[in-house]
Amino acid sequence: VAATGAATDPDPGETVTLAWTATLNGATIATGTGPSFAFAPLDAGTYAVAVTATDASGAASTDTRSVTVVAR
């Protein structure tokens, strides 16, 4: 599973970092940082993929999406 993200800050010159987390049934499967993220699902199920954008002042916002993986 692969995802990309981007964020901007309204304050001039503030940098924004992205941190990713993939979970299955509340257990963390993978983490990462940067504009892109990928992980290999362990099992079929519905994974939550969250990205948190944090600026240099510590303000943060998180967006979470569900990804359903089916067995072949």
mmCIF file of all heavy atoms in Angstrom, residues 5-7 9-10 20 24 26 31 40 60 62-63 65-66 70:
data_model
loop_
_atom_site.group_PDB
_atom_site.id
_atom_site.type_symbol
_atom_site.label_atom_id
_atom_site.label_comp_id
_atom_site.label_asym_id
_atom_site.label_seq_id
_atom_site.Cartn_x
_atom_site.Cartn_y
_atom_site.Cartn_z
ATOM 1 N N GLY A 5 1.409 12.520 0.497
ATOM 2 C CA GLY A 5 0.741 13.610 1.183
ATOM 3 C C GLY A 5 1.510 14.902 1.004
ATOM 4 O O GLY A 5 2.696 14.904 0.668
ATOM 5 N N ALA A 6 0.824 15.996 1.248
ATOM 6 C CA ALA A 6 1.442 17.322 1.189
ATOM 7 C C ALA A 6 0.688 18.227 2.142
ATOM 8 O O ALA A 6 -0.506 18.025 2.400
ATOM 9 C CB ALA A 6 1.386 17.875 -0.231
ATOM 10 N N ALA A 7 1.396 19.211 2.672
ATOM 11 C CA ALA A 7 0.764 20.177 3.569
ATOM 12 C C ALA A 7 1.478 21.506 3.431
ATOM 13 O O ALA A 7 2.669 21.553 3.121
ATOM 14 C CB ALA A 7 0.842 19.686 5.016
ATOM 15 N N ASP A 9 1.680 25.609 5.292
ATOM 16 C CA ASP A 9 1.418 26.376 6.510
ATOM 17 C C ASP A 9 1.117 27.814 6.112
ATOM 18 O O ASP A 9 1.815 28.366 5.255
ATOM 19 C CB ASP A 9 2.643 26.316 7.433
ATOM 20 C CG ASP A 9 2.337 26.836 8.816
ATOM 21 O OD1 ASP A 9 2.040 28.043 8.941
ATOM 22 O OD2 ASP A 9 2.373 26.051 9.761
ATOM 23 N N PRO A 10 0.096 28.431 6.695
ATOM 24 C CA PRO A 10 -0.219 29.820 6.332
ATOM 25 C C PRO A 10 0.834 30.825 6.812
ATOM 26 O O PRO A 10 0.887 31.936 6.311
ATOM 27 C CB PRO A 10 -1.578 30.062 6.986
ATOM 28 C CG PRO A 10 -1.641 29.085 8.102
ATOM 29 C CD PRO A 10 -0.856 27.890 7.656
ATOM 30 N N TRP A 20 3.637 9.418 9.318
ATOM 31 C CA TRP A 20 2.635 8.436 8.911
ATOM 32 C C TRP A 20 2.568 7.279 9.903
ATOM 33 O O TRP A 20 3.578 6.874 10.467
ATOM 34 C CB TRP A 20 3.000 7.853 7.558
ATOM 35 C CG TRP A 20 3.071 8.840 6.448
ATOM 36 C CD1 TRP A 20 4.130 9.634 6.115
ATOM 37 C CD2 TRP A 20 2.050 9.138 5.502
ATOM 38 N NE1 TRP A 20 3.839 10.402 5.026
ATOM 39 C CE2 TRP A 20 2.561 10.118 4.621
ATOM 40 C CE3 TRP A 20 0.759 8.678 5.300
ATOM 41 C CZ2 TRP A 20 1.824 10.631 3.567
ATOM 42 C CZ3 TRP A 20 0.028 9.187 4.248
ATOM 43 C CH2 TRP A 20 0.549 10.148 3.397
ATOM 44 N N LEU A 24 -3.660 -1.795 12.277
ATOM 45 C CA LEU A 24 -4.662 -2.830 12.033
ATOM 46 C C LEU A 24 -5.185 -3.260 13.392
ATOM 47 O O LEU A 24 -4.399 -3.684 14.250
ATOM 48 C CB LEU A 24 -4.057 -4.019 11.285
ATOM 49 C CG LEU A 24 -4.986 -5.207 11.030
ATOM 50 C CD1 LEU A 24 -6.165 -4.799 10.150
ATOM 51 C CD2 LEU A 24 -4.234 -6.363 10.400
ATOM 52 N N GLY A 26 -5.971 -1.500 15.846
ATOM 53 C CA GLY A 26 -5.348 -0.718 16.904
ATOM 54 C C GLY A 26 -3.858 -0.953 17.086
ATOM 55 O O GLY A 26 -3.210 -0.245 17.840
ATOM 56 N N THR A 31 5.373 2.774 10.440
ATOM 57 C CA THR A 31 5.452 4.223 10.607
ATOM 58 C C THR A 31 6.449 4.768 9.600
ATOM 59 O O THR A 31 7.286 4.031 9.070
ATOM 60 C CB THR A 31 5.898 4.619 12.032
ATOM 61 O OG1 THR A 31 7.196 4.077 12.267
ATOM 62 C CG2 THR A 31 4.917 4.130 13.090
ATOM 63 N N ALA A 40 3.701 -2.997 3.630
ATOM 64 C CA ALA A 40 3.193 -4.277 3.130
ATOM 65 C C ALA A 40 2.204 -4.826 4.147
ATOM 66 O O ALA A 40 2.589 -5.109 5.288
ATOM 67 C CB ALA A 40 4.339 -5.257 2.927
ATOM 68 N N ALA A 60 -0.439 20.979 14.829
ATOM 69 C CA ALA A 60 -0.549 19.723 14.078
ATOM 70 C C ALA A 60 -1.983 19.448 13.664
ATOM 71 O O ALA A 60 -2.934 19.890 14.316
ATOM 72 C CB ALA A 60 -0.022 18.568 14.920
ATOM 73 N N THR A 62 -4.199 15.971 11.792
ATOM 74 C CA THR A 62 -4.123 14.574 11.350
ATOM 75 C C THR A 62 -5.309 14.239 10.465
ATOM 76 O O THR A 62 -6.435 14.639 10.744
ATOM 77 C CB THR A 62 -4.106 13.623 12.569
ATOM 78 O OG1 THR A 62 -2.983 13.940 13.380
ATOM 79 C CG2 THR A 62 -4.028 12.169 12.141
ATOM 80 N N ASP A 63 -5.024 13.477 9.402
ATOM 81 C CA ASP A 63 -6.066 12.950 8.525
ATOM 82 C C ASP A 63 -5.881 11.439 8.471
ATOM 83 O O ASP A 63 -4.751 10.959 8.327
ATOM 84 C CB ASP A 63 -5.954 13.556 7.126
ATOM 85 C CG ASP A 63 -7.149 13.216 6.244
ATOM 86 O OD1 ASP A 63 -8.232 12.898 6.782
ATOM 87 O OD2 ASP A 63 -6.996 13.257 5.013
ATOM 88 N N ARG A 65 -7.357 7.695 6.795
ATOM 89 C CA ARG A 65 -8.152 7.023 5.766
ATOM 90 C C ARG A 65 -8.135 5.526 6.022
ATOM 91 O O ARG A 65 -7.164 4.992 6.557
ATOM 92 C CB ARG A 65 -7.592 7.279 4.362
ATOM 93 C CG ARG A 65 -7.513 8.724 3.977
ATOM 94 C CD ARG A 65 -8.874 9.324 3.814
ATOM 95 N NE ARG A 65 -8.728 10.748 3.502
ATOM 96 C CZ ARG A 65 -9.721 11.508 3.188
ATOM 97 N NH1 ARG A 65 -10.928 11.023 3.121
ATOM 98 N NH2 ARG A 65 -9.532 12.780 2.932
ATOM 99 N N SER A 66 -9.182 4.846 5.625
ATOM 100 C CA SER A 66 -9.265 3.382 5.736
ATOM 101 C C SER A 66 -8.858 2.740 4.422
ATOM 102 O O SER A 66 -9.230 3.233 3.347
ATOM 103 C CB SER A 66 -10.686 2.955 6.085
ATOM 104 O OG SER A 66 -11.042 3.429 7.359
ATOM 105 N N VAL A 70 -7.985 -7.333 0.861
ATOM 106 C CA VAL A 70 -8.695 -8.608 0.780
ATOM 107 C C VAL A 70 -7.710 -9.743 0.480
ATOM 108 O O VAL A 70 -6.683 -9.526 -0.173
ATOM 109 C CB VAL A 70 -9.799 -8.575 -0.294
ATOM 110 C CG1 VAL A 70 -10.890 -7.590 0.088
ATOM 111 C CG2 VAL A 70 -9.248 -8.236 -1.655
#
